[in-house]
Amino acid sequence: MAALVEPAEEIRERTLRVDGMDCASCVAHVEKAIKKLPGIQHVAVNLALGRAQVKFDPAAVDEEQIAAEVTGAGYPAHVARADASPKEQDDAHEAHARRWLFRGVLGMVLWAPVEALHWIVKLTSDHPHAGIAWMDWVGLVTSTLAIVLIGGAFYRSALKAALRRTSNMDTLIAMGASVAYGYSLVALVGYLLHWWQTLPALYFTEGTALLALISIGHWMEARARTRAGSAIRDLMHLAPATAWKVEPTVDRPKSMANAKSVSLSVLSTIDAQTSIPPGPQEVPVSSLQINDHVLVRPGDRVPIDGIVVSGTSSVDESMLTGEAVPVTRTKGDKAFGGTINQDGALTIRVTNVGDDTALAQIVKLVETAQNSKPPVQKLADQIAAVFVPSVLVIALLTAIGWYAHGAITGVDAPTMWANIAKAVCSVLIIACPCALGLAVPAALMVGTGRGAKLGILYRDINALQSAERLEVVVLDKTGTLTRGRPIVQRVIASDHSTEADVLMLAASAEQFSSHPLAKAIVTAAQARGLSLRDPDDFKNEPGTGVRATIDGRRVFVGRAPAAEAGPDAHATRVSVIRDDVLVGTLELVDEIKPDSSAAIAALHAMGLRTVLLTGDHAAAARAIASEAGIDDVRADVKPAGKAEAIRDLQQSPCANRRSSIAMVGDGINDAPALAQADLGIAIGSGADIAKETGGIVLVSGSLTGVPQAIRLSRATMRVIRQNLFFAFFYNVIAIPLAAMGLLSPILCAAAMALSDLTVIGNALRLKRTRL
C-alpha cells in the first residue's frame, strides 16, 4: 500500500510593516535580509509605504520568522494586521511625523537664534574678533545639546548598521554631523592650547543646522508621503466599522393562519417559533458572517458586500467605480461595502466578508501595484546597495584632495583643516540617497491611487509600461461596447411552427446556459408565460450554441448562418433547429453603451487604431462598429480563436516590427485574448474583480475608463522617468560641487531635504493631471 503524502501547503503572501527605512539603501538591506531566508519566493519593499510584501513557502519559513529577521537587521518589523482599522494606521503615520517635527523644532530653537546673533554681530561690528567670542561658547553648548537630543536617532541607526557591517543614510548624516562638531571642538581646543595662533572657522552652528534641517525635511517628507499614499487609506475609510444587524424575517404561513380548522395550540406553537425579531443591533462589521442580514439606513454607508433582500434605494457607488451617477438597487441586486445608501432603507444579506469583499480586493490590487518595480527601479536599487559605501570613499578622497591642495598652496593648517571639514561634511550630507528610493514608489502611489478613485485598477507596473507603446486597441462587443443586456426583438417561425413553439424550444434548451443571449431568450419566454421543458443531454459549444434533447427530439440553438438576413442590421440572429429542421429564428438586439462613441473618439484622438473583435455576424458587427466609430471589424471569431486574432494583429504591420495591442473584454470569456495582448483591459464588476484577467481592471464597466487608464498610465510613467532623472542628476551634479567646497554644509542639508520633496511633489502632480 502506497504511503499517504501530505498535500503541499500553498505559497503564502503576507505584508510586513517595516519601520526605520529612510533611503534606497535601507530598502536594499531589508530585501537582502528577507531573501537569505529559506522558502522566500518574492520580495517587494516599498520605501514610501514602509511595507514589505513577501511570498513564501510556509513549510520552510513563517511570517513571524521573516519579521524577526528584518527586525534583527535593524528595521523593526511586524506582520501587518488585516483587521487594522484605518484610524490605527493613520495614528501610526501621525506619530511618526510628530517625532520628526519635535526634533526639527527643537533643532531650530537651538540653531536659529545663535545663527541670527552671529550674523548681527558680524554685520554690526567694526572689528571682528580675533579670538574666542561668547557666541562660540554658545555654539558649543547648543551643538552639544543637538548632538545628544536630536542626533541620537541618527547615531543609533548608524551604529546598528555598523554592527551589521552595513551602512545607510543615517550613516552619512551621523558622520556629517560628527565631522562638523568634532572638527570644531578640536579646533577650539587646539586654539586654547596654542596649537595655532589664529582661531580657525568653527562649524558648531552648521552641525546643529544639519540635524535641524534634516529632521524638518523628514517631517515634511512624512507628510508628503501621507498625501501620496492617501488613496489606500481613503478606500479603507469607506468601510464603516459597525453595522446594524437584523434577524431574518420569517413569514407566518398564510394558509395555516387563515385556516379556521387550525387549533389555537398549533398557532401558539407557530408564534413561539416565529416570534417578532428584535430590533437592529449595532455590531462590529468584523463579526458579520455570510447570510447575516444588515439594515442600511438612508445616508449610511453599506457595511459589507451582499444581496438586497428588501427595499429600494439609490446608491452612490462613485467611490468604487468612479461613476458619479447613483444607481438604483432593489431586491435581488448586489450591493458593495463602502457605497453610500441615499434615500431608502435596504436590508442586505451578507455574501462576502473579510478579504473577499470588493473593497478589500480593490485595496489589495492597489497595494500590489504600488509594490511592483519597473526594470529601471531595479537598476536604481542595485546602485543604492553600494551607494553609501561609495560616498564614504568619495568623502575620504575629498579629504585627501584638500589636504594635498593645502600642502601645495601652502595655506596655514587651520584654514586647510577648515576646508577639509567643510568639504567632507558637505559631501556626506548632500549625497543621502533618499530621492533615489522615493522616485518610483511615490509616483506609483499617487498614480495607482488616482486610478483607484476613478475605478481603474492596475495589477502591476507592466500594465503602466505597456500602455505607453500601444498602437491598436481591440474591443469585444457584448458587454464592452454594448450594455450586455440583449433582448429578443423578433421571433420568426417557419411554415410549420409558431412563434411560441420556437421561443419555448429555444428557452428550454438555453435555460442552463450563462451566456447573455441565453438569458435574454429565457427572460422573453418567461415574460410570455411559456412553460419550459427540462432538457436532457445538454451540451454547450462555446462560440456556436447549445445542443439538448427536448421531449425526445434533438434541438440545436445557436448561430444562424450569415445568409439569413434580417431587417435590422444590428440584430444578432439565433437559429432554432429541431431534428435537423429549422423551426425558426430569433433576432436579438443589444444597445450600444451611451459612452462608447465618445470613448472611441478619445482613443482616436490619442493616435490609436481601434478594432472590433466579435463572434457575431459581420453585418451586425459592422453596424455596431459604424455606430461607435471603430476603424476595423473582425467578425465571426469564436472565443478560442480570439487569441489567434490578437496574435495576427500583433504581427500585422511588417515582418520586422511587432505592434503593441491592448485587448478590452469582460475578463472571463475573453481571458485567452486578454492574456495574449500586450495589455489586457478587463471590464470588471464588484466581487469578480479578483477573478478578472488583464493588467488593468475597469470596475465601473464604462468604456470611457479605457482612454483614462491609458492617459494615466502614460502620465505615471512620465513622472517616474522624471523623478529618476532628477535623483541621478542631483547626485551627479551635487557631489562634485560639494567635494570642491562650493557648497556649505547648511546648504547641502537644505538641498537634501528639498530633493526628497521635489520627487514627491512631482508625483503629487498626478492628482491634478487631466485625464
Side-chain angles (χ1 to χ4, degrees):
M1 181 177 178
L4 293 176
V5 179
E6 288 285 338
E9 208 170 343
E10 292 184 0
I11 296 299
R12 195 176 292 171
E13 184 174 350
R14 289 291 183 271
T15 299
L16 303 182
R17 174 72 188 173
V18 184
D19 297 325
M21 293 194 300
D22 294 311
C23 65
S25 295
C26 299
V27 171
H29 295 326
V30 172
E31 288 187 346
K32 183 178 179 181
I34 296 174
K35 286 179 178 178
K36 72 180 184 181
L37 291 171
I40 301 298
Q41 304 289 321
H42 175 72
V43 181
V45 180
N46 189 304
L47 172 63
L49 289 173
R51 294 195 168 210
Q53 203 167 33
V54 187
K55 290 182 181 179
F56 59 95
D57 182 357
V61 67
D62 62 37
E63 52 263 45
E64 296 299 336
Q65 289 176 303
I66 299 172
E69 187 68 28
V70 175
T71 301
Y75 302 93
H78 59 272
V79 180
R81 288 173 30 226
D83 61 344
S85 68
K87 185 178 184 304
E88 290 177 311
Q89 298 190 36
D90 286 349
D91 289 345
H93 286 289
E94 288 295 330
H96 176 71
R98 280 197 302 270
R99 286 193 294 270
W100 283 117
L101 178 61
F102 172 77
R103 296 184 185 115
V105 170
L106 178 59
M108 295 299 292
V109 169
L110 293 174
W111 166 62
V114 179
E115 186 72 19
L117 285 173
H118 169 78
W119 282 101
I120 290 173
V121 171
K122 185 174 181 179
L123 294 174
T124 58
S125 176
D126 294 331
H127 302 286
H129 65 278
I132 300 177
W134 62 272
M135 290 179 300
D136 297 323
W137 293 111
V138 173
L140 170 62
V141 172
T142 55
S143 184
T144 302
L145 290 173
I147 290 288
V148 174
L149 299 177
I150 305 171
F154 299 107
Y155 282 99
R156 284 191 297 272
S157 174
L159 179 59
K160 289 179 181 178
L163 293 175
R164 298 188 307 272
R165 299 180 181 178
T166 61
S167 56
N168 56 24
M169 186 191 79
D170 291 336
T171 302
L172 301 180
I173 294 173
M175 291 188 68
S178 297
V179 168
Y181 180 83
Y183 153 76
S184 300
L185 185 61
V186 171
L188 184 61
V189 172
Y191 178 75
L192 292 173
L193 296 179
H194 304 291
W195 293 349
W196 34 72
Q197 297 302 313
T198 59
L199 180 66
L202 301 182
Y203 295 130
F204 283 126
T205 54
E206 278 79 358
T208 305
L210 295 180
L211 298 175
L213 290 173
I214 291 170
S215 297
I216 290 290
H218 280 344
W219 169 69
M220 296 174 69
E221 178 189 319
R223 299 292 297 174
R225 286 193 201 183
T226 300
R227 285 185 61 198
S230 62
I232 286 185
R233 288 189 301 279
D234 290 346
L235 287 171
M236 296 176 69
H237 275 292
L238 294 180
T242 61
W244 291 101
K245 182 179 178 181
V246 295
E247 294 300 323
T249 303
V250 180
D251 295 332
R252 178 195 295 265
K254 293 181 180 180
S255 58
M256 295 183 67
N258 295 331
K260 296 180 180 179
S261 60
V262 179
S263 65
L264 290 175
S265 61
V266 173
L267 284 175
S268 298
T269 301
I270 294 173
D271 287 338
Q273 294 175 348
T274 61
S275 58
I276 298 174
Q281 302 293 316
E282 190 172 19
V283 301
V285 170
S286 58
S287 69
L288 293 175
Q289 303 292 323
I290 292 176
N291 290 327
D292 283 347
H293 286 211
V294 295
L295 173 66
V296 186
R297 301 168 301 184
D300 286 353
R301 288 191 182 273
V302 177
I304 205 160
D305 293 5
I307 301 294
V308 178
V309 294
S310 67
T312 299
S313 180
S314 296
V315 178
D316 179 2
E317 297 184 347
S318 60
M319 64 290 300
L320 291 182
T321 65
E323 293 294 323
V325 180
V327 295
T328 300
R329 295 299 181 201
T330 188
K331 184 176 181 179
D333 291 338
K334 290 182 179 180
F336 302 108
T339 56
I340 301 175
N341 181 29
Q342 292 193 328
D343 48 29
L346 297 174
T347 302
I348 298 172
R349 177 174 59 82
V350 177
T351 58
N352 301 89
V353 297
D355 291 342
D356 292 330
T357 63
L359 183 59
Q361 291 171 11
I362 289 173
V363 169
K364 183 174 178 60
L365 278 178
V366 175
E367 287 182 331
T368 300
Q370 291 180 349
N371 277 326
S372 59
K373 293 182 180 181
V376 68
Q377 173 64 30
K378 294 176 183 178
L379 174 62
D381 289 346
Q382 292 172 355
I383 294 173
V386 297
F387 190 84
V388 174
S390 300
V391 171
L392 295 177
V393 172
I394 293 173
L396 178 60
L397 294 175
T398 299
I400 294 172
W402 276 101
Y403 183 86
H405 176 269
I408 294 171
T409 57
V411 299
D412 59 279
T415 302
M416 180 183 70
W417 287 110
N419 290 337
I420 291 174
K422 175 186 175 182
V424 169
C425 182
S426 298
V427 168
L428 292 171
I429 294 301
I430 205 164
C432 292
C434 299
L436 196 61
L438 290 170
V440 175
L444 280 178
M445 285 169 62
V446 180
T448 55
R450 172 87 185 274
K453 290 186 175 181
L454 295 172
I456 303 168
L457 305 180
Y458 297 90
R459 289 195 177 276
D460 53 36
I461 191 69
N462 294 327
L464 288 164
Q465 290 183 299
S466 298
E468 286 196 300
R469 302 186 298 270
L470 288 181
E471 299 175 33
V472 181
V473 177
V474 181
L475 303 106
D476 180 41
K477 182 174 78 71
T478 304
T480 301
L481 274 175
T482 64
R483 293 182 181 275
R485 295 190 294 271
I487 60 172
V488 176
Q489 176 179 262
R490 187 170 179 234
V491 180
I492 306 170
S494 65
D495 294 339
H496 304 291
S497 301
T498 64
E499 290 185 11
D501 189 30
V502 172
L503 188 55
M504 183 276 295
L505 281 176
S508 297
E510 293 276 22
Q511 59 184 309
F512 296 134
S513 173
S514 60
H515 194 281
L517 295 179
K519 293 179 180 179
I521 293 171
V522 173
T523 300
Q526 292 172 341
R528 296 194 184 190
L530 301 179
S531 178
L532 304 186
R533 310 288 195 270
D534 291 331
D536 295 322
D537 302 324
F538 174 83
K539 183 180 180 182
N540 182 37
E541 298 178 355
T544 301
V546 299
R547 299 183 185 276
T549 301
I550 298 176
D551 295 335
R553 304 181 70 176
R554 293 178 290 109
V555 175
F556 170 77
V557 181
R559 290 168 50 81
E564 291 184 16
D568 188 350
H570 290 79
T572 297
R573 289 174 296 284
V574 175
S575 294
V576 182
I577 299 173
R578 180 171 55 193
D579 290 337
D580 299 325
V581 177
L582 179 69
V583 296
T585 303
L586 306 176
E587 288 187 352
L588 297 94
V589 292
D590 188 4
E591 290 184 350
I592 191 171
K593 291 179 180 178
D595 55 7
S596 290
S597 298
I600 299 302
L603 292 173
H604 289 163
M606 297 165 64
L608 299 172
R609 187 164 65 93
T610 53
V611 176
L612 177 61
L613 184 63
T614 178
D616 209 347
H617 290 307
R622 282 195 296 269
I624 290 291
S626 176
E627 185 176 352
I630 292 177
D631 300 322
D632 190 7
V633 176
R634 306 292 172 96
D636 293 299
V637 181
K638 294 183 179 181
K642 286 187 176 182
E644 184 63 33
I646 294 292
R647 193 176 297 111
D648 291 342
L649 286 167
Q650 288 170 330
Q651 303 299 334
S652 61
C654 60
N656 60 355
R657 188 172 68 86
R658 183 177 182 275
S659 287
S660 190
I661 306 291
M663 172 68 193
V664 185
D666 63 16
I668 299 173
N669 295 333
D670 298 310
L674 288 167
Q676 174 62 39
D678 300 281
L679 175 62
I681 303 178
I683 302 291
S685 61
D688 294 330
I689 290 167
K691 302 175 185 177
E692 304 288 357
T693 302
I696 299 177
V697 178
L698 304 180
V699 182
S700 68
S702 171
L703 205 60
T704 55
V706 175
Q708 281 185 323
I710 295 173
R711 289 194 196 101
L712 182 58
S713 301
R714 292 176 173 179
T716 303
M717 289 304 302
R718 184 167 59 249
V719 168
I720 286 175
R721 285 194 299 270
Q722 291 168 352
N723 280 356
L724 285 171
F725 171 80
F726 171 79
F728 281 112
F729 179 79
Y730 163 80
N731 282 290
V732 168
I733 297 298
I735 292 176
L737 292 177
M740 289 187 290
L742 300 177
L743 301 176
S744 71
I746 293 179
L747 181 60
C748 290
M752 192 213 75
L754 288 174
S755 69
D756 301 350
L757 297 177
T758 298
V759 295
I760 295 177
N762 190 41
L764 288 171
R765 290 192 306 111
L766 289 168
K767 288 189 173 183
R768 301 183 299 274
T769 298
R770 185 176 179 181
L771 301 178

